[in-house]
Amino acid sequence: MKETPLSICEKQCVVQAVKEGQRIDGRSLSEQRKPCITFGTEWGCCQVLLGNTRVMAQVSCSIQVPKSSRANEGMLFINVEMSTMAAEHFEAGRLGQQGIEVNRLVERCIKDSRCVDLESLCILVEEQAWEVRVDIHVLNHEGNLIDAATLAALGALCHFKRPDVTLDGREVIVHQLDERDPVPLTILHYPLTLSFALFDQGKIYALDPTNLEERSADGKLVLGLNAYRELCTLQISGDGVFIRKEAVLSCANVAASRAVEMVEMLKKCLAADAAERIKGKYDGLVSSVALEAERVTTQSQARTYFKAPAHNLEENADEESLPVPKIKLVKDQGIVTLQTRSDASSSESDIEMDSLPPVPVVKKRVYEEIDIGNDSEEESVMLITNELT
């Protein structure tokens, strides 16, 4: 199914609001939606909510033969899955142009930046090594899939723990999780992507665009940075978009500060998850359902308070309640009216109403003769209709 086309009115409304420094959801141009990170009961399961965009990542591993070109390293694969559950125009089993873009950018940010130490995944040189696979599932699409997918993949890699192995000569022994504690992956740095929607030929940019803003923008700028403010990847997409060097540097400074904040938040979530597992009372993704109603997507919504006028309960208690008037039905010459009754002791039996006589239904036959002219050889036709009066 094709994506529903964007109307001219919607696009003009978004563009005009951005030019005035405003956004449809109330955020500022440099404000990001508050992400919510939760982990599953299994190691390597991470779910990220970025506004209404929901992405889940699951990490798995297996022992394979390493590549001949890198015989002393393990392997890392990243796969993105999109289904019609996320959006109506997504096709099951086919990524499409948007899915391919998300997959390549996540690979460039995480795999090509070598944030995972692949040498630590080697078991026997040229014989056996760990193959780590990251499956990213898009559950709901409401804009900025790249940032949500990158954060989910990085969180799943940090949360994942592989089984421990020992060597008995040339024999590899894989221990179960109940025999030995699993071993976490070695993460060298924490790269994350931050996306900007470009408007007015790159003169105006908006951080963390929604789906409506992405479709209304002239282009998109994606920056991949880590907590050390190092640039890992950069991409500018759009038809005929020209962006100045000063605008790129301004976006990079904003993205660097946001990347540091997101990495700190990810580390806090990992520490909280480890503490809950030690206590033995861990619900996994069930806790995200309970927090769904309390989740605040923007900082501007968090600063909004509704104030109700204060009421003096003592004064209200001293006030006497007004008497409730009694009514009765009175029929006068076929007209029914409501009248108040001063007698407070009246009950429901005092309210009486005489039934009106039923209106008889008369059926009447009407005969209508149609004259179609003397020149016609056909005979006159008699129509019979029934009317209710």
Side-chain angles (χ1 to χ4, degrees):
M1 181 181 295
K2 294 184 179 180
E3 187 177 7
T4 304
L6 187 65
S7 64
I8 299 177
C9 296
E10 290 177 320
K11 184 175 181 179
Q12 291 179 350
C13 178
V14 173
V15 174
Q16 185 63 28
V18 170
K19 289 182 179 179
E20 296 177 0
Q22 301 177 357
R23 303 175 76 169
I24 302 299
D25 53 4
R27 293 181 291 156
S28 62
L29 297 181
S30 60
E31 186 178 354
Q32 187 183 23
R33 291 175 291 182
K34 183 179 179 180
C36 179
I37 305 174
T38 53
F39 300 98
T41 55
E42 297 292 334
W43 295 112
C45 181
C46 179
Q47 180 182 244
V48 172
L49 281 82
L50 195 60
N52 291 328
T53 300
R54 186 188 298 262
V55 177
M56 177 181 290
Q58 177 65 55
V59 180
S60 58
C61 65
S62 61
I63 298 178
Q64 302 292 338
V65 179
K67 296 180 180 180
S68 58
S69 58
R70 297 183 180 273
N72 62 336
E73 293 183 358
M75 293 165 286
L76 176 64
F77 291 99
I78 297 176
N79 179 47
V80 177
E81 294 290 340
M82 293 183 176
S83 62
T84 54
M85 178 177 60
E88 58 182 6
H89 60 278
F90 290 165
E91 298 182 12
R94 182 181 178 184
L95 289 180
Q97 183 178 1
Q98 188 175 11
I100 295 174
E101 180 185 13
V102 174
N103 199 347
R104 288 180 178 177
L105 283 173
V106 174
E107 284 185 349
R108 287 167 53 184
C109 182
I110 294 180
K111 183 179 178 181
D112 296 348
S113 66
R114 303 185 67 84
C115 70
V116 180
D117 186 11
L118 298 181
E119 292 185 0
S120 62
L121 300 178
C122 180
I123 302 175
L124 288 175
V125 179
E126 297 182 354
E127 293 184 12
Q128 293 183 355
W130 287 106
E131 178 186 277
V132 179
R133 179 185 177 93
V134 183
D135 292 303
I136 303 173
H137 301 272
V138 180
L139 304 180
N140 190 43
H141 173 38
E142 191 51 39
N144 202 4
L145 286 177
I146 299 174
D147 294 2
T150 306
L151 182 57
L154 181 62
L157 288 172
C158 296
H159 187 259
F160 178 71
K161 294 184 179 181
R162 62 173 177 83
D164 193 9
V165 295
T166 55
L167 292 177
D168 186 6
R170 307 296 295 181
E171 181 182 0
V172 178
I173 301 175
V174 181
H175 299 277
Q176 300 296 330
L177 298 181
D178 53 356
E179 296 178 0
R180 286 194 178 184
D181 294 335
V183 180
L185 299 179
T186 303
I187 307 297
L188 303 178
H189 61 100
Y190 299 85
L192 292 172
T193 59
L194 289 104
S195 302
F196 296 85
L198 304 177
F199 296 89
D200 196 10
Q201 292 298 322
K203 298 179 181 178
I204 305 174
Y205 55 87
L207 177 63
D208 186 19
T210 61
N211 186 28
L212 184 60
E213 292 173 345
E214 286 181 345
R215 299 174 63 185
S216 304
D218 299 331
K220 185 167 57 175
L221 171 64
V222 181
L223 295 168
L225 300 101
N226 56 16
Y228 304 106
R229 305 175 69 93
E230 298 174 346
L231 184 64
C232 301
T233 183
L234 185 145
Q235 174 174 304
I236 301 176
S237 60
D239 297 334
V241 178
F242 300 95
I243 183 170
R244 297 178 300 174
K245 179 182 66 175
E246 294 78 7
V248 176
L249 294 177
S250 178
C251 292
N253 291 330
V254 175
S257 60
R258 294 292 186 275
V260 175
E261 296 175 359
M262 294 177 65
V263 169
E264 292 297 329
M265 181 186 60
L266 177 60
K267 291 181 179 179
K268 291 181 180 179
C269 293
L270 290 170
D273 177 82
E276 291 293 331
R277 288 178 181 271
I278 294 176
K279 295 179 182 179
K281 298 179 180 180
Y282 186 71
D283 298 330
L285 297 177
V286 179
S287 59
S288 64
V289 180
L291 296 175
E292 185 69 20
E294 303 176 1
R295 183 169 56 92
V296 180
T297 58
T298 61
Q299 297 177 5
S300 59
Q301 293 179 1
R303 294 191 296 264
T304 303
Y305 298 93
F306 297 93
K307 296 182 180 180
H311 296 279
N312 193 347
L313 300 179
E314 297 179 358
E315 295 180 359
N316 295 336
D318 296 338
E319 295 180 357
E320 297 181 357
S321 59
L322 297 177
V324 180
K326 301 292 182 178
I327 62 173
K328 66 176 181 178
L329 300 177
V330 179
K331 187 192 74 171
D332 185 11
Q333 297 181 358
I335 301 175
V336 180
T337 59
L338 297 177
Q339 293 183 357
T340 58
R341 184 166 182 157
S342 60
D343 187 7
S345 62
S346 60
S347 60
E348 296 180 356
S349 60
D350 296 335
I351 301 176
E352 299 179 355
M353 183 180 69
D354 297 337
S355 59
L356 298 176
V359 179
V361 179
V362 180
K363 294 184 178 181
K364 180 181 179 181
R365 286 190 174 185
V366 179
Y367 298 90
E368 181 180 358
E369 183 176 354
I370 300 177
D371 188 6
I372 60 176
N374 298 328
D375 298 337
S376 177
E377 298 179 356
E378 298 181 2
E379 297 181 356
S380 58
V381 180
M382 190 75 68
L383 300 178
I384 302 177
T385 60
N386 294 334
E387 294 184 357
L388 298 179
T389 61

